[in-house]
Amino acid sequence: MENNERDDVEKLKSMFLSAWHNVQYSWILKTKTYFSRNLPVFLLGKCYHFKAEEASVESVAGSCSDKASERKLVIGSVVEFRRDFASRIWLTYREQFPQIQGSSFTSDCGWGCTLRTGQMLLAQGLVLHLLGRDWTWSDALKMDGLDTESWTASAARKLVSSLESSFQGLKPPESHAPAPGRAEEASTDLNCVHHRKIVSWFADCPAAQIGVHRLIELGHASGKSAGDWYGPAVVAHILRKAVKEATDPELQGITVYVAQDCTVYSADVIDSLQKPAQGPETETRVDRKAVIILIPVRLGGEKNQPGVL
């Protein structure tokens, strides 16, 4: 009887806490962002310049190459920038997902910010590895007609639920030689499968290999529980362990290395690539194919330190 009353109190506290977080963090002040067409915009290594398309390559290349000579230049292409930006995987606060084991939480609103940031960081690394930097989502601009900043929670849940349901039974297309003229289409289909698989790894359900439920489970070893604030270093190590113990064959070919004191030791990176995977029935797997290096850096106490930017 006493245990039941305690559980009811915890559920009530969780409901009030979730409601408070929704009030505190869900308000959105809509502002318009202004970009100068005379200045370049850098997005994950690509330089986009929005000058008139009739401008010569030489006239705009200088502004991009001054800061990063090896970055790719895209001239006068606002649409390409929007497609590139919308193709990045966005993971943020969610509510009404399956209850986190050992707690009454069904939302990470107000406390899961660093977990979500870490998920997005890792997701981008996986996209680069499996799809490449030039890849963009074919449906990226089809949502332009929607005011995504004012979505209701129910509308967002319906959209995400439809995506997550499509992940069930997801299989890559059979590998066979494409008919003449269909090679590009086959490549696009395969990239679509890879993209959806990457997103499925971060789904908000207990079965997802890098989902919030799995990350919180792994955080117990660091003394963290649902509702706690997770620091960047803790999240980096949780992500490393999640990938290390993943059972998906494509994730088993990837290693996450976390730098120590902002220092990357090449010998440790090489050693981590040669260690066997730790997932079920994978003890004999060696020679991982890729490594994602995470470097937790404190930008400053009260303000950013220019030396680390």
Side-chain angles (χ1 to χ4, degrees):
M1 182 67 178
E2 185 177 346
N3 290 335
N4 292 335
E5 291 180 356
R6 188 181 298 111
D7 290 342
D8 291 339
V9 171
E10 288 298 321
K11 289 181 180 179
L12 191 61
K13 286 172 60 179
S14 176
M15 290 174 59
F16 277 113
L17 185 62
S18 178
W20 168 243
H21 284 156
N22 286 332
V23 171
Q24 188 175 13
Y25 298 104
S26 295
W27 292 106
I28 298 176
L29 179 62
K30 295 185 65 176
T31 59
K32 189 173 182 179
T33 302
Y34 293 92
F35 290 105
S36 170
R37 297 183 69 88
N38 296 318
L39 295 175
V41 175
F42 292 94
L43 176 60
L44 298 173
K46 277 192 177 182
C47 176
Y48 290 90
H49 211 299
F50 303 144
K51 278 189 175 181
E53 292 190 8
E54 61 268 16
S56 65
V57 174
E58 293 77 10
S59 65
V60 297
S63 59
C64 288
S65 59
D66 287 345
K67 294 185 178 180
S69 59
E70 295 182 358
R71 284 172 173 156
K72 186 172 181 179
L73 173 66
V74 180
I75 302 172
S77 183
V78 177
V79 173
E80 287 303 316
F81 170 80
R82 291 170 63 191
R83 179 180 288 110
D84 191 1
F85 184 84
S87 296
R88 301 311 110 202
I89 296 177
W90 180 34
L91 301 162
T92 186
Y93 292 145
R94 287 278 304 280
E95 61 178 4
Q96 296 188 17
F97 51 58
Q99 183 172 317
I100 297 172
Q101 187 175 7
S103 77
S104 55
F105 284 98
T106 58
S107 171
D108 65 324
C109 187
W111 55 269
C113 50
T114 313
L115 287 170
R116 296 302 189 178
T117 302
Q119 283 183 319
M120 285 190 285
L121 184 69
L122 181 57
Q124 175 60 20
L126 293 170
V127 168
L128 285 174
H129 175 58
L130 295 174
L131 300 174
R133 181 61 186 92
D134 291 332
W135 171 87
T136 55
W137 183 31
S138 58
D139 294 334
L141 299 183
K142 292 183 179 179
M143 301 176 68
D144 278 0
L146 297 175
D147 183 2
T148 55
E149 291 185 350
S150 61
W151 277 1
T152 62
S154 60
R157 285 196 299 273
K158 288 179 181 178
L159 175 64
V160 174
S161 296
S162 65
L163 288 173
E164 290 180 346
S165 63
S166 68
F167 298 146
Q168 305 299 323
L170 186 64
K171 296 180 181 180
E174 297 179 6
S175 57
H176 53 79
R182 293 183 57 87
E184 183 176 348
E185 182 179 345
S187 177
T188 300
D189 292 341
L190 184 59
N191 285 342
C192 181
V193 170
H194 281 311
H195 175 235
R196 297 179 74 83
K197 179 177 286 189
I198 292 171
V199 175
S200 73
W201 291 334
F202 296 91
D204 289 333
C205 62
Q209 310 211 23
I210 321 177
V212 67
H213 294 73
R214 177 60 176 157
L215 299 184
I216 291 171
E217 178 185 351
L218 294 174
H220 293 159
S222 300
K224 297 294 184 180
S225 301
D228 292 344
W229 185 80
Y230 292 71
V234 171
V235 170
H237 284 283
I238 290 175
L239 292 173
R240 176 189 60 80
K241 193 170 184 180
V243 173
K244 182 180 180 180
E245 297 182 1
T247 57
D248 190 287
E250 291 189 75
L251 280 175
Q252 290 175 3
I254 298 172
T255 297
V256 173
Y257 173 85
V258 181
Q260 303 176 40
D261 299 323
C262 302
T263 303
V264 177
Y265 297 94
S266 57
D268 291 344
V269 174
I270 294 172
D271 182 61
S272 67
L273 287 170
Q274 296 175 343
K275 286 183 178 178
Q278 299 298 316
E281 301 179 2
T282 57
E283 290 79 1
T284 59
R285 253 186 105 79
V286 295
D287 296 329
R288 289 165 174 252
K289 298 179 180 179
V291 58
I292 296 176
I293 300 176
L294 302 181
I295 308 177
V297 178
R298 184 174 182 176
L299 299 182
E302 297 180 356
K303 62 180 180 180
N304 290 341
Q305 300 176 11
V308 297
L309 297 179

